[in-house]
Amino acid sequence: MGTVLGWPPVVWALRIALVVALAGCSYVYLLLIAPFFRPANIRRMVRADLPRVRSVGAEVAGTRGEVQFVQEPRVRQANKENTSRLAGHADDVFLREGD
């Protein structure tokens, strides 16, 4: 078996197949993450305010850490409204399909 796998045409065929498989997997992965890296999203991430931290804690020997971020009330309310609006929309879609 070692003599067959050590034969240069087989070795190079396996290497080329590996490169093709890696290129295909990379392409599929790129297609999966591409929507998250739209210019508008990147611009929003760069221009966003830095998060404010309420408290930071640490414990070395017990491996415990704690960080609490502060969220502005208007942002919290907007998140609640978006979540409830999306949940209501999804409920309507699923109810229509189930009828």
Side-chain angles (χ1 to χ4, degrees):
M1 188 72 169
T3 57
V4 172
L5 292 178
W7 193 40
V10 173
V11 170
W12 280 102
L14 290 174
R15 287 179 180 174
I16 291 170
L18 181 65
V19 168
V20 169
L22 287 174
C25 291
S26 299
Y27 181 68
V28 170
Y29 181 70
L30 178 68
L31 289 177
L32 288 173
I33 66 169
F36 298 106
F37 292 105
R38 292 187 178 129
N41 292 345
I42 293 173
R43 197 174 310 120
R44 267 190 236 123
M45 286 189 285
V46 169
R47 291 182 178 175
D49 293 333
L50 292 175
R52 290 181 293 166
V53 178
R54 181 182 302 158
S55 66
V56 175
E59 184 177 322
V60 178
T63 315
R64 181 179 175 186
E66 178 181 327
V67 176
Q68 291 183 359
F69 292 101
V70 178
Q71 190 175 28
E72 295 179 14
R74 65 177 178 81
V75 174
R76 187 180 308 121
Q77 183 64 28
N79 287 342
K80 284 182 184 178
E81 289 173 3
N82 288 338
T83 304
S84 63
R85 181 172 41 97
L86 289 175
H89 177 68
D91 290 343
D92 293 342
V93 169
F94 289 127
L95 289 177
R96 270 189 261 127
E97 288 178 358
D99 288 342

PDB file of all heavy atoms in Angstrom, residues 49-67:
ATOM      1  N   ASP A  49     -20.518  54.113  18.709  1.00  0.00           N
ATOM      2  CA  ASP A  49     -19.898  54.521  19.958  1.00  0.00           C
ATOM      3  C   ASP A  49     -19.309  53.304  20.655  1.00  0.00           C
ATOM      4  O   ASP A  49     -19.792  52.182  20.506  1.00  0.00           O
ATOM      5  CB  ASP A  49     -20.931  55.162  20.892  1.00  0.00           C
ATOM      6  CG  ASP A  49     -21.431  56.480  20.343  1.00  0.00           C
ATOM      7  OD1 ASP A  49     -20.672  57.124  19.593  1.00  0.00           O
ATOM      8  OD2 ASP A  49     -22.576  56.851  20.656  1.00  0.00           O
ATOM      9  N   LEU A  50     -18.283  53.559  21.433  1.00  0.00           N
ATOM     10  CA  LEU A  50     -17.694  52.474  22.209  1.00  0.00           C
ATOM     11  C   LEU A  50     -18.656  52.078  23.325  1.00  0.00           C
ATOM     12  O   LEU A  50     -19.356  52.920  23.881  1.00  0.00           O
ATOM     13  CB  LEU A  50     -16.364  52.917  22.814  1.00  0.00           C
ATOM     14  CG  LEU A  50     -15.239  53.160  21.812  1.00  0.00           C
ATOM     15  CD1 LEU A  50     -14.023  53.714  22.530  1.00  0.00           C
ATOM     16  CD2 LEU A  50     -14.881  51.887  21.091  1.00  0.00           C
ATOM     17  N   PRO A  51     -18.705  50.811  23.668  1.00  0.00           N
ATOM     18  CA  PRO A  51     -19.606  50.400  24.743  1.00  0.00           C
ATOM     19  C   PRO A  51     -19.122  50.951  26.088  1.00  0.00           C
ATOM     20  O   PRO A  51     -17.921  51.044  26.352  1.00  0.00           O
ATOM     21  CB  PRO A  51     -19.529  48.872  24.718  1.00  0.00           C
ATOM     22  CG  PRO A  51     -18.272  48.555  24.023  1.00  0.00           C
ATOM     23  CD  PRO A  51     -17.994  49.680  23.091  1.00  0.00           C
ATOM     24  N   ARG A  52     -20.078  51.323  26.918  1.00  0.00           N
ATOM     25  CA  ARG A  52     -19.732  51.791  28.258  1.00  0.00           C
ATOM     26  C   ARG A  52     -19.802  50.616  29.215  1.00  0.00           C
ATOM     27  O   ARG A  52     -20.731  49.815  29.160  1.00  0.00           O
ATOM     28  CB  ARG A  52     -20.690  52.901  28.696  1.00  0.00           C
ATOM     29  CG  ARG A  52     -20.463  54.179  27.902  1.00  0.00           C
ATOM     30  CD  ARG A  52     -21.378  55.251  28.351  1.00  0.00           C
ATOM     31  NE  ARG A  52     -22.753  54.850  27.995  1.00  0.00           N
ATOM     32  CZ  ARG A  52     -23.841  55.416  28.462  1.00  0.00           C
ATOM     33  NH1 ARG A  52     -23.742  56.393  29.304  1.00  0.00           N
ATOM     34  NH2 ARG A  52     -25.029  54.995  28.080  1.00  0.00           N
ATOM     35  N   VAL A  53     -18.842  50.535  30.088  1.00  0.00           N
ATOM     36  CA  VAL A  53     -18.753  49.419  31.022  1.00  0.00           C
ATOM     37  C   VAL A  53     -19.127  49.907  32.400  1.00  0.00           C
ATOM     38  O   VAL A  53     -18.606  50.918  32.883  1.00  0.00           O
ATOM     39  CB  VAL A  53     -17.326  48.820  31.021  1.00  0.00           C
ATOM     40  CG1 VAL A  53     -17.218  47.690  32.014  1.00  0.00           C
ATOM     41  CG2 VAL A  53     -16.949  48.353  29.632  1.00  0.00           C
ATOM     42  N   ARG A  54     -20.054  49.200  33.040  1.00  0.00           N
ATOM     43  CA  ARG A  54     -20.486  49.553  34.385  1.00  0.00           C
ATOM     44  C   ARG A  54     -19.496  49.017  35.411  1.00  0.00           C
ATOM     45  O   ARG A  54     -19.086  49.714  36.325  1.00  0.00           O
ATOM     46  CB  ARG A  54     -21.872  48.994  34.672  1.00  0.00           C
ATOM     47  CG  ARG A  54     -22.384  49.356  36.068  1.00  0.00           C
ATOM     48  CD  ARG A  54     -23.730  48.747  36.335  1.00  0.00           C
ATOM     49  NE  ARG A  54     -24.690  49.200  35.325  1.00  0.00           N
ATOM     50  CZ  ARG A  54     -25.802  48.550  35.017  1.00  0.00           C
ATOM     51  NH1 ARG A  54     -26.087  47.420  35.613  1.00  0.00           N
ATOM     52  NH2 ARG A  54     -26.620  49.022  34.108  1.00  0.00           N
ATOM     53  N   SER A  55     -19.094  47.753  35.270  1.00  0.00           N
ATOM     54  CA  SER A  55     -18.154  47.181  36.233  1.00  0.00           C
ATOM     55  C   SER A  55     -17.319  46.107  35.554  1.00  0.00           C
ATOM     56  O   SER A  55     -17.742  45.487  34.585  1.00  0.00           O
ATOM     57  CB  SER A  55     -18.904  46.573  37.423  1.00  0.00           C
ATOM     58  OG  SER A  55     -19.671  45.473  36.994  1.00  0.00           O
ATOM     59  N   VAL A  56     -16.135  45.894  36.088  1.00  0.00           N
ATOM     60  CA  VAL A  56     -15.236  44.857  35.593  1.00  0.00           C
ATOM     61  C   VAL A  56     -14.771  44.069  36.800  1.00  0.00           C
ATOM     62  O   VAL A  56     -14.396  44.628  37.817  1.00  0.00           O
ATOM     63  CB  VAL A  56     -14.010  45.472  34.866  1.00  0.00           C
ATOM     64  CG1 VAL A  56     -13.030  44.396  34.461  1.00  0.00           C
ATOM     65  CG2 VAL A  56     -14.451  46.285  33.679  1.00  0.00           C
ATOM     66  N   GLY A  57     -14.799  42.766  36.726  1.00  0.00           N
ATOM     67  CA  GLY A  57     -14.361  41.945  37.845  1.00  0.00           C
ATOM     68  C   GLY A  57     -13.454  40.829  37.372  1.00  0.00           C
ATOM     69  O   GLY A  57     -13.470  40.432  36.207  1.00  0.00           O
ATOM     70  N   ALA A  58     -12.657  40.303  38.283  1.00  0.00           N
ATOM     71  CA  ALA A  58     -11.760  39.210  37.924  1.00  0.00           C
ATOM     72  C   ALA A  58     -11.421  38.383  39.156  1.00  0.00           C
ATOM     73  O   ALA A  58     -11.426  38.889  40.280  1.00  0.00           O
ATOM     74  CB  ALA A  58     -10.480  39.759  37.316  1.00  0.00           C
ATOM     75  N   GLU A  59     -11.161  37.126  38.948  1.00  0.00           N
ATOM     76  CA  GLU A  59     -10.701  36.230  39.989  1.00  0.00           C
ATOM     77  C   GLU A  59      -9.789  35.227  39.308  1.00  0.00           C
ATOM     78  O   GLU A  59     -10.222  34.431  38.486  1.00  0.00           O
ATOM     79  CB  GLU A  59     -11.878  35.518  40.647  1.00  0.00           C
ATOM     80  CG  GLU A  59     -11.484  34.629  41.807  1.00  0.00           C
ATOM     81  CD  GLU A  59     -12.692  34.014  42.463  1.00  0.00           C
ATOM     82  OE1 GLU A  59     -13.717  34.692  42.592  1.00  0.00           O
ATOM     83  OE2 GLU A  59     -12.583  32.836  42.835  1.00  0.00           O
ATOM     84  N   VAL A  60      -8.517  35.268  39.621  1.00  0.00           N
ATOM     85  CA  VAL A  60      -7.535  34.507  38.864  1.00  0.00           C
ATOM     86  C   VAL A  60      -7.553  33.029  39.218  1.00  0.00           C
ATOM     87  O   VAL A  60      -7.665  32.176  38.355  1.00  0.00           O
ATOM     88  CB  VAL A  60      -6.120  35.097  39.060  1.00  0.00           C
ATOM     89  CG1 VAL A  60      -5.082  34.281  38.324  1.00  0.00           C
ATOM     90  CG2 VAL A  60      -6.089  36.538  38.623  1.00  0.00           C
ATOM     91  N   ALA A  61      -7.451  32.697  40.481  1.00  0.00           N
ATOM     92  CA  ALA A  61      -7.339  31.287  40.872  1.00  0.00           C
ATOM     93  C   ALA A  61      -8.630  30.530  40.622  1.00  0.00           C
ATOM     94  O   ALA A  61      -8.607  29.380  40.200  1.00  0.00           O
ATOM     95  CB  ALA A  61      -6.935  31.181  42.337  1.00  0.00           C
ATOM     96  N   GLY A  62      -9.771  31.166  40.837  1.00  0.00           N
ATOM     97  CA  GLY A  62     -11.057  30.514  40.631  1.00  0.00           C
ATOM     98  C   GLY A  62     -11.569  30.654  39.208  1.00  0.00           C
ATOM     99  O   GLY A  62     -12.659  30.198  38.893  1.00  0.00           O
ATOM    100  N   THR A  63     -10.801  31.297  38.348  1.00  0.00           N
ATOM    101  CA  THR A  63     -11.149  31.515  36.949  1.00  0.00           C
ATOM    102  C   THR A  63     -12.553  32.099  36.809  1.00  0.00           C
ATOM    103  O   THR A  63     -13.439  31.502  36.232  1.00  0.00           O
ATOM    104  CB  THR A  63     -11.064  30.194  36.147  1.00  0.00           C
ATOM    105  OG1 THR A  63      -9.885  29.507  36.491  1.00  0.00           O
ATOM    106  CG2 THR A  63     -11.039  30.488  34.657  1.00  0.00           C
ATOM    107  N   ARG A  64     -12.736  33.246  37.403  1.00  0.00           N
ATOM    108  CA  ARG A  64     -14.031  33.910  37.328  1.00  0.00           C
ATOM    109  C   ARG A  64     -13.836  35.322  36.811  1.00  0.00           C
ATOM    110  O   ARG A  64     -12.922  36.018  37.223  1.00  0.00           O
ATOM    111  CB  ARG A  64     -14.669  33.936  38.709  1.00  0.00           C
ATOM    112  CG  ARG A  64     -16.017  34.582  38.735  1.00  0.00           C
ATOM    113  CD  ARG A  64     -16.614  34.569  40.110  1.00  0.00           C
ATOM    114  NE  ARG A  64     -17.859  35.304  40.094  1.00  0.00           N
ATOM    115  CZ  ARG A  64     -18.557  35.570  41.165  1.00  0.00           C
ATOM    116  NH1 ARG A  64     -18.114  35.169  42.336  1.00  0.00           N
ATOM    117  NH2 ARG A  64     -19.666  36.231  41.078  1.00  0.00           N
ATOM    118  N   GLY A  65     -14.664  35.732  35.893  1.00  0.00           N
ATOM    119  CA  GLY A  65     -14.578  37.080  35.354  1.00  0.00           C
ATOM    120  C   GLY A  65     -15.964  37.650  35.173  1.00  0.00           C
ATOM    121  O   GLY A  65     -16.933  36.923  34.960  1.00  0.00           O
ATOM    122  N   GLU A  66     -16.081  38.950  35.253  1.00  0.00           N
ATOM    123  CA  GLU A  66     -17.390  39.583  35.133  1.00  0.00           C
ATOM    124  C   GLU A  66     -17.223  40.947  34.489  1.00  0.00           C
ATOM    125  O   GLU A  66     -16.389  41.740  34.905  1.00  0.00           O
ATOM    126  CB  GLU A  66     -18.018  39.749  36.509  1.00  0.00           C
ATOM    127  CG  GLU A  66     -19.349  40.438  36.497  1.00  0.00           C
ATOM    128  CD  GLU A  66     -19.909  40.584  37.896  1.00  0.00           C
ATOM    129  OE1 GLU A  66     -19.664  39.719  38.733  1.00  0.00           O
ATOM    130  OE2 GLU A  66     -20.595  41.592  38.120  1.00  0.00           O
ATOM    131  N   VAL A  67     -18.002  41.206  33.450  1.00  0.00           N
ATOM    132  CA  VAL A  67     -18.039  42.504  32.791  1.00  0.00           C
ATOM    133  C   VAL A  67     -19.499  42.847  32.572  1.00  0.00           C
ATOM    134  O   VAL A  67     -20.258  42.032  32.067  1.00  0.00           O
ATOM    135  CB  VAL A  67     -17.298  42.470  31.434  1.00  0.00           C
ATOM    136  CG1 VAL A  67     -17.426  43.800  30.726  1.00  0.00           C
ATOM    137  CG2 VAL A  67     -15.844  42.105  31.621  1.00  0.00           C
TER     138      VAL A  67
END
